[in-house]
């Protein structure tokens, strides 16, 4: 792994089943190496230890099942779609999975959940004011949506995060790699190189080597890429990954499904896609950032100019944990507003677009 990433040994051992003691401290990011050594998931290969054939495990991996927990994240109907899996075999897989993950497949105490939440990271946006607005930065185990008109800095935020996600934890980074699904051809590696060299004095090649990018041309390809990323995220030899970016989340769905007749199918497919992102975020302790487009709202009161709303409707609203609106300001300034968050109030701040990426105004 490159020097741009903090060297952290990744253990193949699963996290302890029972936390020793719950505390009432607020959720914070710890720099304790022991906290980083334990995986937050159980790899699908562990099923072989409880009687599942290696050939069946290989079929599960081919279909995107990379962890034991994913067996409990899908319906029986979805599990039966895996080649060679009958109802009897599906039930056997579920029973074998329960032997491995135990109580994690059902109810846990809120105290245990609090301890799990302390494993979250916060990846800096490059702006201290913006980080404060978000409670520390872009949060792992969470899906963050950013939307706004063109030229409001959405893609520049993505470019900045591609670098900051690789910084050491002590500098507000995630000490991990980045995966990006580009649906609009907006990713510019030269821009990432400029931010890495100009602002953080990092080797641009090493930073770029720690970013994997896929160009999607249809919503089916976009969904397949995210499914297969689960296998990659579950491989400790290829990671750790700390950030997944989709830019943009709705562009190809709007292209492939047009008209009111296909609206219901579009929303259903988009919901499946978003739920997969939520599961990746929670299971692999990564931050998921989705960039969204906006559209004119013909039903709104346009007395004070055109009213814009994010694409995706209630499906996006329910699936994303934090939602951010970006607006144009004076010159290179941009306004960022938190419009929905599970723990932060509605508020806004001003940032600046610079050669070094997102930063505070007149930094």
């Amino acid at each position: 792994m490159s020097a741009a990433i903090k060297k952290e040994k990744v253990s193949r051992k699963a996290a302890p089943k029972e936390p020793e003691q719950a505390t009432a401290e607020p959720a914070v990011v710890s720099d304790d190496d022991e906290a980083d050594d334990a995986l937050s998931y159980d790899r699908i290969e562990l099923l072989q230890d409880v009687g599942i054939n290696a050939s069946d495990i290989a079929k599960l991996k081919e279909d995107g099942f990379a962890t034991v927990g994913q067996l409990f994240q899908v319906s029986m109907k979805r599990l039966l779609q895996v080649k060679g899996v009958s109802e009897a075999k599906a039930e056997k897989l579920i029973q074998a999975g329960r032997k491995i993950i135990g109580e994690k497949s059902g109810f846990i105490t809120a105290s245990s959940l609090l301890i799990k939440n302390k494993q979250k990271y916060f990846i800096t946006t490059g702006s201290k004011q913006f980080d404060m607005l978000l409670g520390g930065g872009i949060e792992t185990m969470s899906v963050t949506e950013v939307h706004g008109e063109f030229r409001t800095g959405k893609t520049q935020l993505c470019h900045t995060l591609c670098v900051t996600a690789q910084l050491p934890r002590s500098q507000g980074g995630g000490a991990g790699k980045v995966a990006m699904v580009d649906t609009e051809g907006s990713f510019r590696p030269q821009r990432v190189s400029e931010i890495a060299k100009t602002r953080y004095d990092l080797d641009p090649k090493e930073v770029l080597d720690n970013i994997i990018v896929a160009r999607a041309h249809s919503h089916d390809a976009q969904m397949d890429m995210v499914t297969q990323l689960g296998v990659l995220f579950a491989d400790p030899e290829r990671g750790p990954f700390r950030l997944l970016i989709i830019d943009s989340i709705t562009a190809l769905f709007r292209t492939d499904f047009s008209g009111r007749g296909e609206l219901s199918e579009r929303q259903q497919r988009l919901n499946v896609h978003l739920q997969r992102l939520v599961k990746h975020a929670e299971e692999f302790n990564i931050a998921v950032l989705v960039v969204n487009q906006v559209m004119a709202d013909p039903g709104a009161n346009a007395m004070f100019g055109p009213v814009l709303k994010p694409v995706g409707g209630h499906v996006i609203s329910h699936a994303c944990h934090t939602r951010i609106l970006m607006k144009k300001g004076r010159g290179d300034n941009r306004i960022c507003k938190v419009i929905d968050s599970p723990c932060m109030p509605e508020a806004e701040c001003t940032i600046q677009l610079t050669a070094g990426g997102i930063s505070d105004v007149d930094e």
Side-chain angles (χ1 to χ4, degrees), residues 41-56:
Y41 52 89
D42 299 286
R43 299 182 66 190
I44 198 73
E45 287 83 0
L46 292 176
L47 288 174
Q48 195 166 357
D49 297 336
V50 288
I52 302 300
N53 294 330
S55 58
D56 291 331

Side-chain angles (χ1 to χ4, degrees), residues 47-88:
L47 288 174
Q48 195 166 357
D49 297 336
V50 288
I52 302 300
N53 294 330
S55 58
D56 291 331
I57 295 174
K59 292 175 182 177
L60 288 170
K61 290 189 68 174
E62 289 175 5
D63 212 271
F65 290 87
T67 70
V68 177
Q70 288 174 346
L71 296 175
F72 301 91
Q73 296 172 0
V74 298
S75 64
M76 182 63 72
K77 178 181 178 182
R78 171 65 183 88
L79 201 55
L80 292 174
Q81 291 175 355
V82 179
K83 183 178 179 181
V85 174
S86 61
E87 289 189 12

Side-chain angles (χ1 to χ4, degrees), residues 1-2 5 162 165-166 174-179 209-212 233 237-244 286:
M1 190 174 295
S2 87
I5 294 181
C162 281
Q166 301 183 42
K177 298 182 179 181
V178 181
D209 285 344
N210 290 321
I211 304 171
I212 59 171
F233 293 158
E237 300 296 329
R238 304 278 303 269
F241 281 84
R242 285 292 170 248
L243 177 65
L244 168 60
I286 64 172

Side-chain angles (χ1 to χ4, degrees), residues 199-220:
R199 184 166 180 186
Y200 296 102
D201 195 28
L202 298 174
D203 184 341
K205 184 180 184 305
E206 290 183 343
V207 170
L208 292 176
D209 285 344
N210 290 321
I211 304 171
I212 59 171
V213 186
R215 178 74 165 93
H217 296 279
S218 70
H219 86 280
D220 285 317

